[in-house]
Amino acid sequence: MEDKIAAQLRRAGIPVEYESEVILYTKPEKPSRYTPDFPLPNGIIIETKGRFVTADRQKHLLIKAQHPDKDIRFVFSNSRARISKQSPTTYAMWCEKHGFKYADKTIPPEWLSE
């Protein structure tokens, strides 16, 4: 379909620029629920992740902003995995940027004794 529209624009002498503009917008918030994987007695919340998709990252940023008292930490199967094929950012880099503690494969023993 895009090809036909682009051809029509070219025939009309209009320069074609497909998806060349980005418009930012805010999705309205809706009440949601988050069920932590492993809430520990010391108040630390352990969230285990194999894949850490965009929706999960957005959710955890909202939770952190709305509940700054919660200590949510991630245990990844591989913190060196990139958040997407196109991005050089790894799960670890994302956590560091946003102030989340993280580990690979197991919960660090010091987290259990804090």
Side-chain angles (χ1 to χ4, degrees), residues 90-103:
T90 63
Y91 298 166
M93 293 164 70
W94 184 92
C95 284
E96 289 165 4
K97 176 180 178 182
H98 296 288
F100 288 97
K101 291 185 179 182
Y102 66 93

Side-chain angles (χ1 to χ4, degrees), residues 13-26:
I14 298 171
V16 175
E17 294 183 23
Y18 180 70
E19 291 188 351
S20 64
E21 183 177 323
V22 174
I23 298 171
L24 301 178
Y25 68 101
T26 301

Side-chain angles (χ1 to χ4, degrees), residues 34-51:
Y34 163 57
T35 305
D37 289 343
F38 299 98
L40 303 180
N42 61 8
I44 294 171
I45 294 170
I46 303 296
E47 188 67 24
T48 56
K49 293 289 179 196
R51 292 183 58 229

Side-chain angles (χ1 to χ4, degrees), residues 72-86:
I72 299 173
R73 303 179 186 189
F74 295 95
V75 176
F76 295 108
S77 58
N78 179 10
S79 66
R80 293 176 306 283
R82 294 184 308 168
I83 61 173
S84 75
K85 291 179 182 179
Q86 299 81 21

